[in-house]
Coordinates of all heavy atoms in Angstrom, one line a residue:
S1 N 29.5 -4.3 -11.1 CA 29.5 -2.9 -10.6 C 28.8 -2.0 -11.6 O 28.8 -2.2 -12.8 CB 31.0 -2.4 -10.5 OG 31.7 -3.2 -9.6
P2 N 28.2 -0.9 -11.0 CA 27.6 0.1 -11.9 C 28.6 0.6 -12.9 O 29.7 0.9 -12.5 CB 27.1 1.2 -11.0 CG 26.9 0.5 -9.7 CD 28.0 -0.5 -9.6
V3 N 28.2 0.8 -14.2 CA 29.1 1.3 -15.2 C 28.6 2.6 -15.7 O 27.4 2.9 -15.6 CB 29.3 0.3 -16.4 CG1 30.0 -1.0 -15.9 CG2 28.0 0.0 -17.0
T4 N 29.5 3.4 -16.2 CA 29.2 4.7 -16.8 C 29.1 4.6 -18.3 O 29.4 3.6 -18.9 CB 30.2 5.8 -16.4 OG1 31.5 5.4 -16.9 CG2 30.3 5.9 -14.9
S5 N 28.8 5.7 -18.9 CA 28.7 5.8 -20.4 C 29.0 7.2 -20.9 O 29.3 8.1 -20.1 CB 27.3 5.3 -20.9 OG 26.3 6.3 -20.5
S6 N 28.8 7.4 -22.2 CA 29.1 8.7 -22.7 C 28.1 9.8 -22.2 O 28.3 11.0 -22.3 CB 29.1 8.7 -24.2 OG 27.8 8.3 -24.7
I7 N 26.9 9.3 -21.8 CA 25.9 10.3 -21.3 C 25.7 10.2 -19.8 O 24.8 10.9 -19.2 CB 24.5 10.0 -22.0 CG1 24.0 8.7 -21.7 CG2 24.7 10.2 -23.5 CD1 22.5 8.5 -22.2
Q8 N 26.4 9.3 -19.1 CA 26.3 9.2 -17.6 C 27.8 9.0 -17.1 O 28.3 7.9 -17.1 CB 25.4 8.1 -17.2 CG 25.3 7.8 -15.7 CD 24.7 9.0 -14.9 OE1 23.8 9.6 -15.4 NE2 25.1 9.2 -13.7
N9 N 28.4 10.1 -16.6 CA 29.8 10.0 -16.3 C 30.1 9.7 -14.9 O 31.3 9.6 -14.5 CB 30.5 11.3 -16.7 CG 29.9 12.5 -16.0 OD1 29.2 12.4 -15.0 ND2 30.2 13.7 -16.5
T10 N 29.1 9.4 -14.1 CA 29.3 8.9 -12.7 C 28.5 7.7 -12.5 O 27.4 7.5 -13.0 CB 28.9 10.0 -11.7 OG1 27.6 10.3 -11.9 CG2 29.8 11.2 -11.8
P11 N 29.0 6.7 -11.7 CA 28.2 5.5 -11.4 C 26.9 5.8 -10.8 O 26.8 6.7 -10.0 CB 29.1 4.7 -10.5 CG 30.5 5.2 -10.7 CD 30.3 6.7 -11.0
L12 N 25.9 5.1 -11.1 CA 24.5 5.3 -10.6 C 23.9 4.0 -10.4 O 24.0 3.0 -11.1 CB 23.7 6.1 -11.6 CG 22.3 6.4 -11.2 CD1 22.2 7.3 -10.0 CD2 21.6 7.1 -12.4
A13 N 23.1 3.9 -9.3 CA 22.3 2.6 -9.0 C 21.0 3.1 -8.3 O 21.0 4.0 -7.6 CB 23.1 1.7 -8.1
P14 N 19.9 2.3 -8.6 CA 18.7 2.7 -7.9 C 18.7 2.3 -6.5 O 19.2 1.2 -6.1 CB 17.6 1.8 -8.7 CG 18.4 0.7 -9.3 CD 19.8 1.2 -9.6
G15 N 18.3 3.2 -5.6 CA 18.4 3.0 -4.2 C 17.0 2.7 -3.6 O 16.0 2.9 -4.3
H16 N 16.9 2.2 -2.4 CA 15.7 1.9 -1.8 C 15.5 2.8 -0.5 O 16.4 3.0 0.2 CB 15.7 0.4 -1.3 CG 14.3 -0.2 -1.0 ND1 13.6 0.2 0.1 CD2 13.5 -1.0 -1.6 CE1 12.5 -0.4 0.2 NE2 12.4 -1.2 -0.9
P17 N 14.3 3.3 -0.3 CA 14.1 4.2 0.8 C 14.1 3.4 2.2 O 14.0 4.0 3.2 CB 12.7 4.8 0.6 CG 12.0 3.8 -0.4 CD 13.1 3.2 -1.2
R18 N 14.2 2.1 2.1 CA 14.3 1.2 3.3 C 13.0 1.0 4.0 O 13.0 0.3 5.0 CB 15.4 1.7 4.3 CG 16.7 2.1 3.7 CD 17.3 1.0 2.8 NE 17.8 -0.1 3.5 CZ 18.1 -1.3 3.0 NH1 17.9 -1.4 1.7 NH2 18.5 -2.2 3.7
V19 N 11.9 1.6 3.6 CA 10.6 1.3 4.1 C 9.7 1.0 2.9 O 9.8 1.7 1.9 CB 10.1 2.6 4.9 CG1 8.6 2.3 5.3 CG2 10.9 2.8 6.1
T20 N 8.8 0.0 3.1 CA 7.9 -0.3 2.0 C 6.5 -0.1 2.5 O 6.1 -0.5 3.6 CB 8.1 -1.7 1.5 OG1 7.9 -2.6 2.6 CG2 9.5 -1.9 1.0
T21 N 5.7 0.6 1.6 CA 4.3 0.7 2.0 C 3.5 -0.6 1.6 O 2.6 -1.0 2.3 CB 3.6 1.9 1.2 OG1 3.9 1.7 -0.2 CG2 4.2 3.2 1.7
G22 N 4.0 -1.2 0.5 CA 3.4 -2.5 0.1 C 1.9 -2.4 -0.2 O 1.4 -1.3 -0.5
T23 N 1.2 -3.5 -0.1 CA -0.2 -3.5 -0.3 C -0.9 -3.9 0.9 O -0.7 -5.0 1.5 CB -0.5 -4.5 -1.5 OG1 0.2 -4.0 -2.6 CG2 -2.0 -4.5 -1.7
F24 N -1.8 -3.1 1.5 CA -2.6 -3.4 2.7 C -3.9 -2.7 2.6 O -3.9 -1.5 2.3 CB -1.8 -3.0 3.9 CG -2.6 -3.2 5.2 CD1 -2.5 -4.5 5.8 CD2 -3.3 -2.2 5.8 CE1 -3.2 -4.8 6.9 CE2 -4.0 -2.5 7.0 CZ -4.0 -3.8 7.5
A25 N -5.0 -3.4 2.7 CA -6.3 -2.8 2.7 C -7.2 -3.4 3.7 O -7.1 -4.6 4.1 CB -6.9 -3.0 1.3
I26 N -8.1 -2.6 4.2 CA -9.1 -3.0 5.1 C -10.5 -2.8 4.5 O -10.8 -1.7 4.1 CB -9.1 -2.2 6.4 CG1 -7.7 -2.4 7.1 CG2 -10.2 -2.7 7.4 CD1 -7.6 -1.6 8.4
T27 N -11.3 -3.9 4.3 CA -12.6 -3.8 3.7 C -13.7 -3.5 4.7 O -13.4 -3.6 5.9 CB -12.9 -5.1 2.9 OG1 -13.3 -6.1 3.9 CG2 -11.8 -5.5 2.1
N28 N -14.9 -3.2 4.2 CA -16.0 -3.0 5.2 C -16.5 -4.2 5.8 O -17.4 -4.2 6.6 CB -17.1 -2.2 4.4 CG -17.7 -3.0 3.3 OD1 -17.3 -4.2 3.0 ND2 -18.6 -2.5 2.6
K29 N -15.9 -5.4 5.5 CA -16.2 -6.6 6.1 C -15.4 -6.9 7.4 O -15.7 -7.8 8.1 CB -16.0 -7.8 5.2 CG -16.8 -7.7 3.8 CD -18.3 -7.6 4.1 CE -19.0 -7.5 2.7 NZ -20.5 -7.4 2.9
C30 N -14.4 -6.1 7.6 CA -13.5 -6.3 8.7 C -14.2 -5.8 10.0 O -14.6 -4.7 10.1 CB -12.2 -5.4 8.5 SG -11.0 -5.6 9.9
K31 N -14.3 -6.8 11.0 CA -15.0 -6.5 12.2 C -14.2 -5.7 13.2 O -14.7 -5.1 14.1 CB -15.5 -7.8 12.8 CG -16.5 -8.5 12.0 CD -17.0 -9.8 12.7 CE -18.0 -10.6 11.9 NZ -18.5 -11.8 12.5
S32 N -12.9 -5.7 13.0 CA -12.0 -5.0 14.0 C -10.9 -4.3 13.2 O -9.7 -4.7 13.2 CB -11.3 -6.1 14.9 OG -12.3 -6.8 15.6
P33 N -11.3 -3.2 12.6 CA -10.3 -2.4 11.8 C -9.1 -1.9 12.7 O -8.0 -1.8 12.2 CB -11.1 -1.3 11.2 CG -12.3 -1.2 12.0 CD -12.6 -2.6 12.5
E34 N -9.4 -1.6 14.0 CA -8.3 -1.1 14.8 C -7.3 -2.2 15.0 O -6.1 -1.9 15.0 CB -8.9 -0.7 16.2 CG -9.9 0.5 16.1 CD -11.3 0.0 15.9 OE1 -11.5 -1.2 15.6 OE2 -12.2 0.9 16.0
A35 N -7.7 -3.4 15.2 CA -6.8 -4.6 15.3 C -6.0 -4.8 14.0 O -4.8 -5.1 14.0 CB -7.5 -5.8 15.7
A36 N -6.7 -4.6 12.9 CA -6.0 -4.8 11.6 C -4.9 -3.7 11.5 O -3.8 -4.0 11.0 CB -7.0 -4.7 10.5
M37 N -5.2 -2.5 11.9 CA -4.2 -1.4 11.8 C -3.0 -1.7 12.8 O -1.9 -1.4 12.5 CB -4.8 -0.1 12.1 CG -5.6 0.5 10.9 SD -4.6 0.6 9.4 CE -3.2 1.6 10.0

């Protein structure tokens, strides 16, 4: 469980926005960028 300390008096945990952008790129070699998108 998240623990507190003398400088953090309420439990805290890093959250996730539930959507990831990740890594995705289209180069100029792609013949069908619309399909890639």
